[in-house]
Amino acid sequence: DSDDTRVMLDALAALGCGLRREGDVLHVTGLGGRLAVHEARLFLGNAGTAMRPLAAALAVLAATQGGRFELGGVPRMHERPIGDLVDAVRQLGAQVEYLGNAGFPPLKMAPAVLKEVAEVTVKGNVSSQYLTGILLSAPLLGREVTVKVDGELISKPYVEITLNLMKRFGVTVQRNGWESFVVP
């Protein structure tokens, strides 16, 4: 229970996910890859672990399903870089606009026509959260995507957590060391 988890849960609820508490257990019902809400402004405080995966997923969903989303937070969040992640989703054809300074939140996602690319490159030496965001959003594309890592990947244990989580949900990612990942 923290500010980061609270803003993430608020964002998921605003997007239409089901949240049900049973004592210390929280049951989250996802959206099955289909938007329940096509327009939302999400306040993510200073939670980079909410901002980065949501930015990637909502960029893809906005493009493929006609959504319009704004993601922002506290002033400090708007000083935290996100440009490398935005560059990665733009490689897919997603439309992401900076509402303040280029390379930083707040962000706006809008409908777009995704490219039929089979490869996306993510810088590995900045934040593993960028790679995590791309890996988690790739299955939403409905086609196989190779995610290449440019440079040395930092925070490998966090990427391993992402891959294990994806496997628990039925997405087995083929890994070529830490250089590239094939997402079915």
Side-chain angles (χ1 to χ4, degrees):
D1 188 20
S2 69
D3 286 344
D4 284 9
T5 55
R6 182 185 45 77
V7 296
M8 180 60 138
L9 293 173
D10 289 348
L12 292 176
L15 294 169
C17 293
L19 304 173
R20 182 175 50 86
R21 291 192 187 273
E22 285 183 7
D24 290 341
V25 176
L26 174 68
H27 299 270
V28 179
T29 303
L31 302 175
R34 304 296 315 163
L35 288 174
V37 173
H38 286 80
E39 197 165 317
R41 282 184 146 161
L42 303 176
F43 176 80
L44 300 173
N46 195 30
T49 53
M51 175 65 76
R52 292 166 177 156
L54 280 175
L58 291 175
V60 170
L61 291 170
T64 58
Q65 298 177 35
R68 295 183 186 282
F69 303 99
E70 289 185 18
L71 279 66
V74 299
R76 176 66 182 116
M77 172 62 84
H78 300 169
E79 297 172 354
R80 297 178 68 184
I82 197 166
D84 292 319
L85 176 64
V86 170
D87 290 346
V89 294
R90 284 179 173 170
Q91 290 173 47
L92 298 169
Q95 183 178 325
V96 181
E97 177 185 339
Y98 296 110
L99 298 176
N101 294 324
F104 301 88
L107 305 174
K108 180 179 182 179
M109 288 81 171
V113 177
L114 293 182
K115 300 172 185 173
E116 289 295 320
V117 297
E119 266 184 26
V120 175
T121 302
V122 179
K123 287 185 180 177
N125 62 349
V126 184
S127 172
S128 64
Q129 292 176 0
Y130 299 154
L131 177 57
T132 288
I134 294 297
L135 289 171
L136 291 173
S137 61
L140 299 169
L141 295 167
R143 64 178 187 272
E144 183 176 282
V145 177
T146 299
V147 181
K148 291 189 169 187
V149 178
D150 179 18
E152 179 69 23
L153 180 61
I154 61 172
S155 302
K156 293 175 181 131
Y158 290 109
V159 176
E160 193 71 48
I161 290 168
T162 299
L163 297 173
N164 289 336
L165 178 68
M166 292 176 74
K167 189 171 185 172
R168 281 185 62 189
F169 283 90
V171 180
T172 301
V173 177
Q174 178 187 343
R175 186 173 83 180
N176 177 25
W178 297 105
E179 290 80 41
S180 69
F181 304 85
V182 179
V183 183

